[in-house]
Amino acid sequence: MYRRIGESVTRFPIFTIGAWIIVAILAIAMAPERDGIWQEGELAFLPEDAISSQAQHLFRKAFPPTNGRRFSRGKRAGSSVQRDPLGSNIVIVLFRENRPEGLSKEDRQFIREDLVPQLEKIRDSTPLGYEIESDGGYEEIPESERVVQGISTPHDKRIGALLTSPDERAEIVVLELRTEFLDRQNGLIVDRLEELIFSSDLLQNKPIGLAMALSGSATVGRDLLRAEADSAARTETFTKLLVITLLLLIYRAPLLALVPLITVGLSVEFTLALLTHLAEAGWIGVFNGLQIYVTVVVYGAGVDYCLFLIARYKEELDSGHGFSEAITMSIRKVGAALATSAGTSIVGIGMMSFAEFGKFRQAGLAISIGLFVAACFAVTFTPALLLLLRNWAFWPDIRKETPKTEEGWIPAATLWKKLNEQQWLDEIWNLTAQLLKKFPGRIFLGTILTMLPLAIIGFTNQGNLSYGLLTDLPQEDTSVEGAMAIQEHFPAGVTGPVITLIRFDQDELKKQFEGDDLSDLRTSNRFCEEMTATIEASLLDLNEPDFRVVDIRNQMYPLGKSAAALEHLDSLKIGERRLQQVIKHKTYTSTRGPLAGQVMRMDFIFSTDPFDRNSILKLSEVEDVVRRAIPESLRESAEVFTLGPTAGIRDLKLSTDRDRVLIGVLVVLAVYIMLVALLRQPAVCGYLMVSVVFSYFVALGMTFIVFYLRDPAGFTGIDWKVPIYLFTILIAMGEDYNILLMARVDEEQKRHGPVEGILVALTKTGSIISSCGIIMAGTFASLMIGSLLGMAQLGFALAFGVLLDTFIVRPILVPAYLILLNSGKFGSLSRFLGAKEQTAALAEEANSKAES
């Protein structure tokens, strides 16, 4: 097959190049806009059976629409004195650091008379679905078209007491949005508010010493989307520049360096356009930010494919073949290895499509498609381009059609020739081969022992992960600074309360309350009071120095149980208090719809950040406390659900923990089967898998050490995406080099024998594999220049892991083991461990002699 491909390419090179260019240009030109097709969000990709996902569905049914308020994406929400848990918010915090008595009268007057009117103007003029880039001004629009569905201020009689800090040195103003926190539609409203709080008109009226900051979930989402876009642009640019630089250093021929760059660049753009078309047709799903992973992985692998083909092409030219014949021979000899290498990566990374978490599924499928496209380009477009360039590909060394063996690549008396004659990289691998031949056991054992401490650190800390959004952003971002200001004066969990929904069986409720249910105000008040007392008593045992439940909000205590909240309720007039009772009941108990009188809501405020590991770990304990507080006669039939940031992150952790195990097993099995199918050596393939898994733990351990030392006080763990992407990519793509090495080992062992063939294969593949590893590591390292910490961690881990495979595992651990195996060092076990037949026979004969 590969001979036919080679013959077709050499016969029709212009047609091959033209066909690919036309197909790629049409796909790119006809691709629709990504907005609306490439999906947003993080928690939206959780499986439908996740507790927080079920809680969202329950909330929609239990609290149907009232007062014209809507869910994001057009779904309506019930009225609440608390924030809508299915929407997002923007929080403006105003505070004084150096005034012990708190905010002054002038400060509060500024909030009421200057800030709030400006916020109302922005609320009335900022629409849903508005393009961030085009600002249509501040003309008032109908309420149903606004992105802001309400403003809560410290002067609000319903919830004003919640918006003043316990030390009275800070107050917050909250804008409730109809959109989810990672919706791009939030960009305009956040930008407008950011512009407002730093405007000269507002600052001119602001009392001296009063500080303002902006945060809230929508602000965090805006900053995350902006950081992702910035990281994608910087990563793509840096990747291209780095690949150009490395190719020029390797080849020292500008046109030859452009060949893989043009090939892979075109294949990446074609892949992204193809993914958009497939997503529009509904065949696949793709998320915003996926383009970073596709670009980096396809650039790294695609350039490697081109380099292996070019290396064989140069080898064939050196042996005296003409350009056309050299192309045909190169595709025939390297095509199968490249296809197997690409197939291993595609199948291995494709195993991610079995994940529960939607982003992992989409990434596995999209990257696999990109690798397939890159492999197709590498075996057709690249050789066609080389054939068109012919001898000019090697400029400034203008190569002849059939050079003599004694003629050099570079004209005599040039600096390039002197550098080339040194062949320093080849000498390194020759020296390595000699040392391995003399001391295989010592080198093998010494290398393992050197790497072992890092592997232990990686293994023991693989669950020490960070799920925080704020920790991923640069500390100078607007949302991070605002969140820090809020947490200085309010409990950290106030920005993301844990919302608990308790669903009761209607028949059991009627038995419990003799025909009534929770839709009756007096019944539900008494029931809620009893449950709250039981919960408070249980929470005393749950509280720890690093974690406390600082407040509970329910229909009896809609503003919480703080002194300020209780004082505010007591201060209400008779008419207002009755209104408050109605609001309390409708807010915290379902009174309308199919679940009327069956669902009760409770909100818990933690002392820790919603994304903190303590919050996630303690959430299940809080759920158990709620279950135990339910009367025993109702407990068995009742269901407890939680939603909010902590619940979503807890489900994300549980889902991705299961994915790490499932995908890990599937990737190892899939890649192992591919290796066995190619090499026909099951035992040796098993060792190759073990060596790469070992290097994964070493790379993970080094990543933990580096980023811990970078900021010991602020280190909260490795980003949760790093282990699964690192494992999948290293296992699937790390075996590429082993495949190419082992294919050459098999070829050379037939000529030079079991041991000498290993050493010859090492020296002949050393330079090209090293070059490929450096380029792939460089493309992964480009992730580190972005502003997202998680991307930087992933970039470092992948780059270090690839270099480890390139310079330690592939040239030392694998050859050393093979030498020991084929030298008979494992005795009678050699046959079972995969030694060549003659080696195993000699080992058994030696053992027999020793026994006799």
Side-chain angles (χ1 to χ4, degrees):
M1 181 180 78
Y2 296 104
R3 176 185 287 276
R4 288 196 296 271
I5 292 174
E7 291 173 350
S8 299
V9 169
T10 54
R11 190 175 302 172
F12 309 107
I14 296 178
F15 174 80
T16 302
I17 293 172
W20 273 122
I21 291 177
I22 290 171
V23 169
I25 290 176
L26 287 175
I28 294 168
M30 296 175 65
E33 293 292 329
R34 293 179 188 173
D35 292 346
I37 297 177
W38 288 57
Q39 302 164 349
E40 309 281 0
E42 196 78 77
L43 303 181
F45 291 89
L46 287 171
E48 284 294 315
D49 59 353
I51 294 176
S52 57
S53 299
Q54 295 181 51
Q56 290 187 25
H57 296 312
L58 177 61
F59 183 85
R60 291 188 179 107
K61 291 176 65 177
F63 298 95
T66 59
N67 298 339
R69 296 180 67 187
R70 295 180 182 271
F71 284 128
S72 60
R73 305 190 186 280
K75 298 174 182 175
R76 300 172 68 86
S79 175
S80 174
V81 297
Q82 307 299 342
R83 69 179 185 85
D84 179 0
L86 305 182
S88 59
N89 60 50
I90 302 172
V91 178
I92 301 173
V93 56
L94 302 99
F95 58 97
R96 282 186 178 273
E97 296 290 356
N98 302 316
R99 193 171 188 272
E101 59 269 31
L103 297 179
S104 66
K105 181 180 179 181
E106 290 76 15
D107 295 335
R108 293 186 168 89
Q109 183 178 352
F110 165 77
I111 296 172
R112 183 173 58 251
E113 298 180 3
D114 292 280
L115 177 61
V116 172
Q118 292 291 331
L119 296 178
E120 291 173 344
K121 179 182 176 181
I122 292 175
R123 174 198 63 191
D124 297 342
S125 60
T126 306
L128 274 167
Y130 212 77
E131 293 293 337
I132 298 173
E133 293 80 8
S134 57
D135 194 333
Y138 289 82
E139 296 180 1
E140 187 170 342
I141 58 175
E143 184 177 350
S144 60
E145 298 177 10
R146 299 171 186 169
V147 68
V148 181
Q149 62 181 358
I151 300 177
S152 300
T153 74
H155 313 292
D156 190 327
K157 289 184 178 180
R158 295 180 308 153
I159 62 170
L162 287 176
L163 307 181
T164 301
S165 65
D167 59 10
E168 296 191 352
R169 291 165 57 188
E171 291 186 347
I172 57 176
V173 179
V174 182
L175 287 83
E176 299 284 351
L177 307 186
R178 290 184 166 93
T179 49
E180 297 173 353
F181 85 105
L182 274 172
D183 196 317
R184 291 185 184 273
Q185 296 181 92
N186 297 337
L188 178 59
I189 182 67
V190 177
D191 288 347
R192 284 183 166 183
L193 292 174
E194 194 171 34
E195 181 182 347
L196 171 66
I197 66 172
F198 293 112
S199 65
S200 57
D201 291 341
L202 195 67
L203 293 176
Q204 190 173 6
N205 297 328
K206 182 176 67 68
I208 297 174
L210 180 65
M212 292 188 294
L214 194 68
S215 191
S217 59
T219 312
V220 173
R222 190 282 307 264
D223 287 349
L224 280 170
L225 292 173
R226 182 180 289 178
E228 276 187 0
D230 174 67
S231 295
R234 291 164 65 180
T235 297
E236 185 173 354
T237 301
F238 185 79
T239 298
K240 292 176 180 177
L241 292 174
L242 184 67
V243 169
I244 291 173
T245 303
L246 291 174
L247 288 173
L248 286 173
L249 290 173
I250 291 169
Y251 287 132
R252 305 182 293 277
L255 293 179
L256 193 60
L258 284 177
V259 170
L261 186 68
I262 293 172
T263 302
V264 180
L266 190 61
S267 66
V268 167
E269 295 303 320
F270 175 66
T271 298
L272 295 176
L274 179 62
L275 293 175
T276 306
H277 285 293
L278 294 174
E280 184 187 35
W283 293 353
I284 65 171
V286 285
F287 63 90
N288 266 308
L290 178 59
Q291 62 270 29
I292 300 178
Y293 300 103
V294 172
T295 298
V296 169
V297 175
V298 174
Y299 258 98
V303 170
D304 279 4
Y305 301 154
C306 295
L307 258 61
F308 276 107
L309 183 69
I310 292 171
R312 195 66 187 224
Y313 175 53
K314 290 167 68 177
E315 202 172 309
E316 296 299 329
L317 287 175
D318 279 342
S319 65
H321 294 113
F323 292 114
S324 296
E325 190 179 3
I327 287 290
T328 303
M329 296 290 289
S330 299
I331 296 175
R332 183 175 68 83
K333 292 183 178 179
V334 178
L338 282 182
T340 306
S341 175
T344 302
S345 299
I346 291 168
V347 171
I349 293 176
M351 292 299 103
M352 291 179 69
S353 60
F354 291 97
E356 288 183 18
F357 186 56
K359 281 193 172 183
F360 290 159
R361 289 199 307 272
Q362 294 179 7
L365 187 57
I367 294 173
S368 296
I369 291 172
L371 290 173
F372 176 76
V373 171
C376 291
F377 267 80
V379 296
T380 55
F381 188 90
T382 297
L385 194 55
L386 287 170
L387 194 57
L388 270 186
L389 291 173
R390 300 179 77 82
N391 56 338
W392 288 101
F394 304 97
W395 181 85
D397 169 30
I398 306 301
R399 173 181 289 275
K400 297 179 182 179
E401 176 78 16
T402 55
K404 297 178 181 178
T405 306
E406 63 270 15
E407 288 182 333
W409 280 73
I410 311 297
T414 66
L415 174 63
W416 292 120
K417 181 171 178 62
K418 293 178 182 178
L419 291 174
N420 189 62
E421 285 175 347
Q422 293 176 6
Q423 297 182 339
W424 59 273
L425 198 55
D426 289 338
E427 288 301 320
I428 291 176
W429 295 120
N430 286 330
L431 177 61
T432 303
Q434 293 172 17
L435 290 173
L436 285 171
K437 185 176 182 179
K438 292 180 69 175
F439 312 108
R442 296 179 188 178
I443 293 175
F444 180 80
L445 187 60
T447 304
I448 292 288
L449 292 177
T450 302
M451 298 166 64
L452 189 59
L454 290 174
I456 293 172
I457 292 172
F459 181 80
T460 55
N461 284 279
Q462 58 183 318
N464 184 17
L465 306 177
S466 170
Y467 295 86
L469 297 179
L470 291 176
T471 55
D472 202 23
L473 288 168
Q475 296 304 295
E476 64 273 11
D477 272 13
T478 299
S479 58
V480 178
E481 292 182 345
M484 293 173 65
I486 292 173
Q487 292 178 15
E488 283 288 324
H489 302 280
F490 292 86
V494 75
T495 56
V498 172
I499 300 166
T500 304
L501 302 177
I502 311 166
R503 178 177 179 174
F504 299 95
D505 181 85
Q506 192 171 26
D507 295 334
E508 295 297 330
L509 280 174
K510 289 182 177 180
K511 290 180 186 177
Q512 174 77 16
F513 300 117
E514 299 178 354
D516 294 330
D517 59 22
L518 297 180
S519 59
D520 180 87
L521 179 60
R522 288 170 298 179
T523 298
S524 60
N525 276 349
R526 185 178 69 254
F527 184 62
C528 182
E529 184 73 35
E530 293 172 356
M531 281 194 61
T532 302
T534 304
I535 289 171
E536 284 183 324
S538 300
L539 288 178
L540 293 176
D541 297 329
L542 185 64
N543 289 342
E544 297 175 354
D546 296 331
F547 174 86
R548 290 182 301 112
V549 176
V550 296
D551 207 356
I552 303 175
R553 298 171 187 166
N554 51 37
Q555 74 174 55
M556 291 303 298
Y557 305 98
L559 305 183
K561 299 199 68 176
S562 67
L566 296 175
E567 183 181 344
H568 175 72
L569 284 178
D570 290 340
S571 69
L572 292 176
K573 298 177 182 178
I574 297 299
E576 292 172 337
R577 197 175 302 166
R578 288 175 181 168
L579 175 63
Q580 190 74 12
Q581 288 291 334
V582 174
I583 292 174
K584 287 194 301 184
H585 186 54
K586 288 188 176 181
T587 297
Y588 288 100
T589 303
S590 57
T591 58
R592 304 174 67 246
L595 296 178
Q598 299 178 52
V599 179
M600 179 174 286
R601 168 181 172 177
M602 291 187 174
D603 296 352
F604 295 87
I605 312 300
F606 293 173
S607 62
T608 49
D609 185 273
F611 302 104
D612 187 84
R613 191 177 291 107
N614 269 346
S615 298
I616 299 169
L617 295 176
K618 290 292 183 180
L619 178 59
S620 297
E621 297 183 41
V622 171
E623 290 173 339
D624 290 340
V625 166
V626 173
R627 287 190 186 93
R628 290 196 299 270
I630 299 171
E632 191 172 349
S633 58
L634 297 172
R635 192 176 303 159
E636 187 174 344
S637 60
E639 298 176 282
V640 177
F641 301 91
T642 49
L643 69 158
T646 305
I649 294 297
R650 191 268 307 270
D651 288 344
L652 177 65
K653 181 182 185 304
L654 293 174
S655 179
T656 53
D657 282 349
R658 290 191 293 268
D659 282 343
R660 284 209 309 277
V661 176
L662 174 64
I663 294 174
V665 172
L666 290 177
V667 169
V668 168
L669 287 176
V671 173
Y672 176 73
I673 290 171
M674 292 291 292
L675 284 174
V676 172
L678 174 69
L679 302 177
R680 314 288 185 183
Q681 300 179 62
V684 172
C685 292
Y687 172 74
L688 296 179
M689 294 302 305
V690 169
S691 67
V692 178
V693 171
F694 180 66
S695 71
Y696 157 75
F697 284 115
V698 174
L700 191 62
M702 179 59 78
T703 306
F704 271 101
I705 291 174
V706 168
F707 284 90
Y708 170 78
L709 294 177
R710 175 178 173 269
D711 182 18
F715 182 72
T716 57
I718 293 296
D719 185 77
W720 58 276
K721 297 182 289 295
V722 171
I724 195 163
Y725 279 120
L726 177 64
F727 184 86
T728 304
I729 293 174
L730 274 191
I731 299 299
M733 302 186 71
E735 290 296 352
D736 284 3
Y737 302 145
N738 281 333
I739 288 173
L740 295 166
L741 171 66
M742 292 302 299
R744 195 61 180 254
V745 165
D746 185 61
E747 181 181 338
E748 299 299 337
Q749 281 181 329
K750 293 173 182 177
R751 301 177 185 173
H752 303 284
V755 174
E756 196 64 30
I758 297 167
L759 301 173
V760 172
L762 173 62
T763 57
K764 287 191 174 182
T765 60
S767 298
I768 184 61
I769 290 180
S770 301
S771 302
C772 290
I774 291 170
I775 288 179
M776 183 173 284
T779 59
F780 287 145
S782 64
L783 291 170
M784 298 176 65
I785 70 167
S787 53
L788 291 173
L789 180 61
M791 283 291 183
Q793 292 174 346
L794 179 59
F796 175 85
L798 285 170
F800 182 82
V802 168
L803 291 176
L804 194 68
D805 276 342
T806 304
F807 291 99
I808 302 296
V809 176
R810 197 274 314 167
I812 295 178
L813 289 184
V814 171
Y817 174 81
L818 293 176
I819 292 170
L820 291 172
L821 179 64
N822 287 283
S823 299
K825 300 297 183 182
F826 298 115
S828 57
L829 292 176
S830 299
R831 183 185 300 275
F832 300 101
L833 294 177
K836 294 295 182 181
E837 290 185 11
Q838 57 267 45
T839 302
L842 290 173
E844 290 180 2
E845 183 181 346
N847 286 338
S848 299
K849 289 181 179 179
E851 290 175 0
S852 61

